[in-house]
Amino acid sequence: MTERVYSFPPVIDERARVLVLGTAPSVKSLEHRQFYGHPRNYFWGMVYGLFDAGAPDEDYAKRLAFLQQHRLAVFDVIESCEREGSLDVNIKDEKPNDLPALLAQYPGLRCFAFNGTKAYDTFRKYFREHPAFDSLALLKMPSTSPIPTQKMRNLEDRIEAWRGIIPFLEEQ
């Protein structure tokens, strides 16, 4: 059954320098009311791995605090969409989040890191010509989905690929 899916509010504060953007919450994320709530998704392992911090905290609030402590934020490109299941290929009738307004509210952001091709392509569909993003780095990163690809087989592959966001997190 196809139903309307809504994104969560962003997890962001004034310290954020990199905003990680997914597409829309998965079924498991909606059930748990958490970004990247499926236990097999590599997102949290990747974030902790970037900072050699060991296994992610079990407590979601501690995960969010870790994210923000490291100047990361998380949100979705899509505010709402029709989707059966959790696969991005099933997304229809999407409405984007107001990312220009978010950027205006958090001008310290230096980079949008898109969690997979669909997030990046959806952003480009709605904001390709928007001047608000002219001075922002836009990085299409490999998805943290547990589905293996030819180049992304495991957590270690994803950690290595996502290291590209580290320079944007450093003090300037």
Side-chain angles (χ1 to χ4, degrees), residues 38-126:
H38 196 292
R40 288 189 19 227
N41 191 289
Y42 288 117
F43 180 77
W44 292 109
M46 178 274 300
V47 168
Y48 278 65
L50 285 175
F51 303 101
D52 298 319
D57 288 294
E58 290 294 321
D59 182 85
Y60 183 62
K62 288 181 180 178
R63 289 180 184 193
L64 296 181
F66 182 88
L67 191 80
Q68 291 181 295
Q69 174 190 346
H70 289 88
R71 303 161 62 101
L72 288 162
V74 66
F75 197 31
D76 287 315
V77 175
I78 297 172
E79 186 272 326
S80 69
C81 64
E82 300 277 327
R83 185 183 65 209
E84 183 176 345
S86 296
L87 296 178
D88 284 352
V89 296
N90 294 335
I91 291 174
K92 296 180 177 93
D93 190 30
E94 75 269 7
K95 176 185 174 202
N97 271 307
D98 190 350
L99 297 176
L102 187 74
L103 183 58
Q105 188 176 354
Y106 296 96
L109 287 169
R110 298 181 191 146
C111 174
F112 281 4
F114 299 95
N115 192 346
T117 300
K118 180 68 172 181
Y120 179 78
D121 289 348
T122 303
F123 174 85
R124 302 265 307 149
K125 176 180 176 180
Y126 291 100

Side-chain angles (χ1 to χ4, degrees), residues 15-19 71 103 106-113 133 135-139 165-172:
R15 297 173 290 177
R17 297 297 174 261
V18 174
L19 175 62
R71 303 161 62 101
L103 183 58
Y106 296 96
L109 287 169
R110 298 181 191 146
C111 174
F112 281 4
F133 306 107
S135 63
L136 202 64
L138 304 173
L139 304 180
I165 68 172
I166 296 294
F168 299 99
L169 298 171
E170 295 168 353
E171 295 286 340
Q172 276 190 301

Side-chain angles (χ1 to χ4, degrees), residues 15-29:
R15 297 173 290 177
R17 297 297 174 261
V18 174
L19 175 62
V20 176
L21 288 160
T23 51
S26 70
V27 171
K28 285 286 186 194
S29 291

